[in-house]
Amino acid sequence: MLIKNLTFLTLSTLIIVSLGCDDQKRSSDAKVVTLPGQNELKIAERDKSGFVMIDVKGGDFIMGGNDNVDDGGSPELRIADECPHEVTIKDFSIGKYEVMGADWVAIMGTNPSKHNDCEDCPVEQVSWDDIQEFIRKLNLKYDESYRLPTEEEWEFAAKGGTKSKNHVYAGSNNAAEVAWFERNSENVSHPVGLLRSNELGIFDMSGNIWEWCSNAKKPYPCDEIGKTFESKVLRGGSFGHRIQSVRIIDRNGRGSSLRLPTLGFRLAK
């Protein structure tokens, strides 16, 4: 009986050691993220990447809204800046996650983020101009066609596309379920994908980091005031902002050369 027990223990030990070695080997191997119809992107030791895309079926939707939430501006400007109007969107793809520090390093070599000790946190302190160079190098390296989303595409995706449930925030009417913002973030960005996704399976479209869009911030067609801005559109709000700023319909904009610890992006195609 003793010999049998020892034999069983020895075999069990060998199995455990073997499994441990396999797990160690797997964790040290680079993972490959396979994108349908695209090149394989080798992402070292990570399960998430800002290069992974979600296909979004186009359609008609009402962009903006008329909730008249106090976002710090005068009442008439709030109504004008977010006024509802119909928009038609063609099929496109958008990043499942915000572009992370590790994604930026893979293309540019260094991480410019203030929070650069977190490779799975969204890259920040990148300007709209910086992102154009990143995209140029990314597309050249992988023979791809990545770009920034338009503001219209961004809002359509954040609202859940054709699967929209008309949430105030991207995936919920409870901001804390889907967004890192001033009440829950401890004033720092967080690794992507920790909170609940929206209807399309896209993460962090409310909060965590402001996201640059491709177009300049212009008045909506329904905006009777017609205020213009010398800036590129920012959407989604960030970890350092009030709950009002992480609403899907909230708009912001900054100059294309500005770098801040609250400014990042996600890709589109």
Side-chain angles (χ1 to χ4, degrees), residues 7-79:
T7 302
F8 174 77
L9 288 172
T10 302
L11 288 172
S12 299
T13 302
L14 287 172
I15 291 170
I16 291 170
V17 169
S18 176
L19 288 174
C21 290
D22 287 346
D23 287 343
Q24 185 176 8
K25 182 178 186 300
R26 281 196 293 269
S27 66
S28 64
D29 286 344
K31 295 180 175 66
V32 175
V33 177
T34 304
L35 310 181
Q38 303 175 33
N39 293 319
E40 290 184 343
L41 304 184
K42 193 174 183 182
I43 312 301
E45 299 184 6
R46 291 188 293 117
D47 293 315
K48 301 173 185 176
S49 170
F51 304 143
V52 177
M53 309 299 279
I54 295 287
D55 292 332
V56 181
K57 182 177 177 56
D60 298 329
F61 82 111
I62 300 300
M63 187 172 185
N66 52 10
D67 56 14
N68 195 26
V69 170
D70 182 2
D71 62 357
S74 62
E76 62 273 14
L77 287 179
R78 291 201 300 272
I79 295 170

Side-chain angles (χ1 to χ4, degrees), residues 50-108:
F51 304 143
V52 177
M53 309 299 279
I54 295 287
D55 292 332
V56 181
K57 182 177 177 56
D60 298 329
F61 82 111
I62 300 300
M63 187 172 185
N66 52 10
D67 56 14
N68 195 26
V69 170
D70 182 2
D71 62 357
S74 62
E76 62 273 14
L77 287 179
R78 291 201 300 272
I79 295 170
D81 199 34
E82 299 174 2
C83 62
H85 58 288
E86 188 171 345
V87 173
T88 299
I89 298 293
K90 296 180 179 179
D91 296 355
F92 68 103
S93 300
I94 195 165
K96 183 176 182 178
Y97 306 104
E98 293 162 322
V99 172
M100 297 176 282
D103 298 322
W104 189 273
V105 170
I107 302 303
M108 306 298 281

Side-chain angles (χ1 to χ4, degrees), residues 157-171:
K159 286 184 171 178
T162 58
K163 299 179 180 180
S164 177
K165 297 180 180 177
N166 297 312
H167 290 134
V168 176
Y169 313 101

Side-chain angles (χ1 to χ4, degrees), residues 4 25 48 50 61 66 91 94 126 145 152 160 174 184 186 190 192 215 218 221 224 251 267:
K4 288 183 178 179
K25 182 178 186 300
K48 301 173 185 176
F61 82 111
N66 52 10
D91 296 355
I94 195 165
V126 289
S145 56
E152 293 79 7
N174 179 356
N184 65 357
E186 299 183 347
H190 290 258
V192 302
N215 33 345
K218 295 180 179 179
E224 296 178 357
R251 305 179 77 201
L267 293 165

Side-chain angles (χ1 to χ4, degrees), residues 220-233:
Y220 283 159
C222 52
D223 182 348
E224 296 178 357
I225 296 175
K227 185 178 180 181
T228 59
F229 301 85
E230 295 294 328
S231 60
K232 299 295 185 181
V233 175

